[in-house]
Amino acid sequence: MLTSDAVPLGQSALLVIDVQESFTVRPRWARRANHALEANVSALVDAYRAAGLPIFYFLHTDGDAEFAIDSPHVRLMDFLSPRPGEPVMLKDTRNCFTSTTLQAKLVGLGVRRLAITGIQLEQCCETTARVAADLGYAVDFVVDATDTFPIANTDVPGEELGVDAIIERTIYALRRRFARIVSTSTLVGELSVLANAQPAVEEIAA
């Protein structure tokens, strides 16, 4: 595994995975784990922009009505406003690589490190982290910039795995195997140092 301390933060890109309206129209949205998702993802977007680093957004599509490719809900949540040069990519796989051109774009940009955020923690976010690590990327898994929901046991009616257990198990599975587990505040702080170390535009022009 290539670790984050082996790859400069200046070679990082931010992945905002499936932060889309499709989730908000389902009843389980009321039971989501992380009500700080919007604030934390926004803070990371701002920090990556300030550091001049790439940002990619993803929208998931599948056979469920809210995620159908022609559904009006397959769009980013209103708090996200991609700028020119920040791609929004459609995918129909759990990971962000297999059904998109993400890998080619990262290679073209010289990206070797990825910050993972979005929905759902243990599905598309975790799967993307695992695939990214296997492809040779260092991974920062920003756990408090992800969200998830209780998982029903389809074999035992009425039984479910709660969000605290899901978060704990995901962290244990990923930590030092596929990713560095990091908080939004820590990564924003690191990005701030990087941004402040860059020469100002007027200095470059001079």
Side-chain angles (χ1 to χ4, degrees), residues 40-90:
N40 289 341
V41 171
S42 294
L44 286 163
V45 168
D46 290 345
Y48 267 80
R49 286 173 176 166
L53 296 176
I55 302 171
F56 295 85
Y57 304 85
F58 298 87
L59 295 171
H60 186 76
T61 63
D62 60 31
D64 293 342
E66 303 91 340
F67 291 87
I69 198 163
D70 58 350
S71 168
H73 304 300
V74 178
R75 62 182 178 86
L76 294 173
M77 293 184 187
D78 289 341
F79 75 92
L80 293 172
S81 298
R83 294 179 177 177
E86 297 176 356
V88 180
M89 308 178 80
L90 289 174

Side-chain angles (χ1 to χ4, degrees), residues 184-204:
T184 297
S185 60
T186 295
L187 189 53
V188 166
E190 294 168 351
L191 288 160
S192 176
V193 171
L194 180 65
N196 291 334
Q198 295 177 349
V201 174
E202 57 267 23
E203 292 176 359
I204 296 173

Side-chain angles (χ1 to χ4, degrees), residues 55-154:
I55 302 171
F56 295 85
Y57 304 85
F58 298 87
L59 295 171
H60 186 76
T61 63
D62 60 31
D64 293 342
E66 303 91 340
F67 291 87
I69 198 163
D70 58 350
S71 168
H73 304 300
V74 178
R75 62 182 178 86
L76 294 173
M77 293 184 187
D78 289 341
F79 75 92
L80 293 172
S81 298
R83 294 179 177 177
E86 297 176 356
V88 180
M89 308 178 80
L90 289 174
K91 66 180 183 65
D92 58 14
T93 52
R94 298 291 187 224
N95 78 82
C96 292
F97 290 93
T98 306
S99 58
T100 74
T101 58
L102 175 62
Q103 170 75 332
K105 292 183 183 298
L106 295 177
V107 170
L109 291 169
V111 170
R112 300 173 57 229
R113 178 172 171 176
L114 299 173
I116 305 293
T117 71
I119 309 172
Q120 288 176 235
L121 165 84
E122 78 290 353
Q123 289 196 48
C124 294
C125 295
E126 179 179 351
T127 307
T128 298
R130 288 172 178 262
V131 172
D134 280 351
L135 289 173
Y137 293 94
V139 178
D140 294 301
F141 195 87
V142 194
V143 68
D144 63 352
T146 67
D147 211 345
T148 193
F149 316 92
I151 300 174
N153 183 344
T154 55

